[in-house]
């Protein structure tokens, strides 16, 4: 992993912004290079600071953090944008990922915040509840029918297996619902994980909602 990581923070509540900055600066190899309270400051200061990661509040005063994702990614080459929120919202997550954000973290939990940034830097999926991952899966299917299969490389049967898993069914229940053996279900999971480059169902669901082109 790269050392001397440069991070920008966009948060309109001064107290919260200070807590986040202090948490991040506590890492000896991380440095917060820009602290912004509103959209105009972010668009002016962040490109000049050349951060590796931008932590962006999704609900800024007077605007939405969602509106900053695209311009920041245009102005800062290879920057990773991670949305910050106080409440997980599946629809906002889907929108943020569709606009190019790499992650979505709850700002109040300092350990999870640090772990989430570490995951982003290492190319792993950031922390997210299984409930929200399932909600994202449902939204993608509802908003973009056929897109999951078309852009993921999964077969129709693999999509069925993942869909039933997202609905909360266990391996034996999936086998019964599809009229196949549990070993066949296990085989499908193996193919799904290999194709998506993940190691768990949760990672698969999140990878699918975050895959480039999935929302086209």
């Amino acid at each position: 992993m790269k050392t001397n990581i440069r991070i920008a923070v966009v948060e309109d509540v001064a107290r919260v912004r200070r807590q986040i900055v202090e948490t991040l600066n506590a890492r000896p190899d991380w440095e917060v290079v820009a602290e912004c309270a509103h959209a105009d400051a972010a668009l002016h200061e962040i490109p000049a600071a050349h951060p590796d990661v931008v932590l962006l509040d999704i609900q800024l005063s007077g605007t939405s953090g969602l509106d900053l994702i695209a311009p920041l990614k245009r102005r800062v080459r290879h920057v990773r944008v991670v949305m910050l929120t106080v409440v997980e919202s599946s629809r906002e997550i889907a929108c943020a990922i569709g606009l190019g954000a790499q992650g979505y973290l709850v700002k109040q939990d300092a350990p999870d915040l640090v772990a989430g940034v570490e995951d982003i830097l290492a190319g792993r999926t950031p922390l997210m509840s299984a409930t929200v991952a399932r909600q994202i899966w449902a939204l993608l299917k509802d908003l973009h029918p056929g897109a999951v299969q078309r852009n993921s490389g999964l077969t129709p049967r693999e999509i069925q297996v993942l869909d039933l898993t997202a609905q909360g069914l266990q391996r034996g229940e999936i086998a019964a619902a599809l009229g196949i053996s549990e070993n066949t279900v296990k085989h499908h999971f193996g193919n799904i994980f290999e194709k998506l480059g993940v190691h768990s169902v949760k990672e698969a669901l999140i990878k699918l909602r975050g895959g480039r082109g999935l929302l086209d």
Side-chain angles (χ1 to χ4, degrees):
M1 184 186 299
K2 178 182 176 181
T3 56
N4 300 320
I5 299 299
R6 300 169 64 83
I7 304 174
V9 177
V10 185
E11 163 62 53
D12 56 359
V13 180
R15 174 184 54 81
V16 175
R17 186 173 65 252
R18 175 46 44 190
Q19 290 174 342
I20 293 172
V21 170
E22 290 177 353
T23 297
L24 298 173
N25 278 336
R27 282 285 302 260
D29 52 343
W30 292 2
E31 179 186 4
V32 175
V33 294
E35 303 177 39
C36 306
H38 51 79
D40 289 343
L43 292 174
H44 176 70
E45 297 177 21
I46 290 177
H50 302 292
D52 300 293
V53 179
V54 175
L55 301 186
L56 175 59
D57 186 8
I58 204 166
Q59 294 181 326
L60 295 170
S61 297
T63 187
S64 169
L66 297 173
D67 295 334
L68 295 181
I69 298 173
L72 285 175
K73 291 183 75 69
R74 283 196 303 268
R75 299 182 191 192
V76 186
R77 189 177 182 184
H78 304 311
V79 72
R80 302 169 179 89
V81 176
V82 183
M83 308 309 294
L84 297 175
T85 184
V86 294
V87 179
E88 291 179 318
S89 164
S90 56
R91 187 163 293 275
E92 285 185 335
I93 296 172
C95 185
I97 297 304
L99 290 168
Q102 277 74 34
Y104 194 98
L105 300 169
V106 178
K107 66 180 76 172
Q108 295 99 324
D109 196 327
D112 281 358
L113 185 65
V114 171
V117 174
E118 289 175 340
D119 283 341
I120 287 289
L121 292 171
R124 297 188 295 267
T125 301
L127 298 171
M128 185 182 297
S129 71
T131 298
V132 170
R134 288 194 294 270
Q135 292 171 347
I136 292 298
W137 172 257
L139 275 172
L140 284 175
K141 290 199 305 170
D142 291 343
L143 296 174
H144 306 275
V148 173
Q149 180 182 336
R150 185 172 62 251
N151 293 288
S152 67
L154 301 181
T155 67
R157 178 65 89 184
E158 289 161 358
I159 293 290
Q160 281 184 306
V161 169
L162 200 52
D163 188 24
L164 291 173
T165 303
Q167 295 176 39
L169 274 66
Q170 300 301 310
R171 186 174 298 175
E173 296 171 317
I174 294 172
L178 298 178
I180 58 179
S181 70
E182 288 193 42
N183 282 337
T184 300
V185 174
K186 181 179 179 181
H187 177 72
H188 285 314
F189 277 128
N191 287 339
I192 291 168
F193 296 164
E194 182 177 357
K195 289 178 180 180
L196 298 179
V198 299
H199 300 91
S200 71
V201 171
K202 178 181 174 182
E203 287 183 1
L205 295 175
I206 298 174
K207 178 70 173 288
L208 282 171
R209 60 84 177 150
R212 188 172 299 278
L214 188 60
L215 299 179
D216 293 345

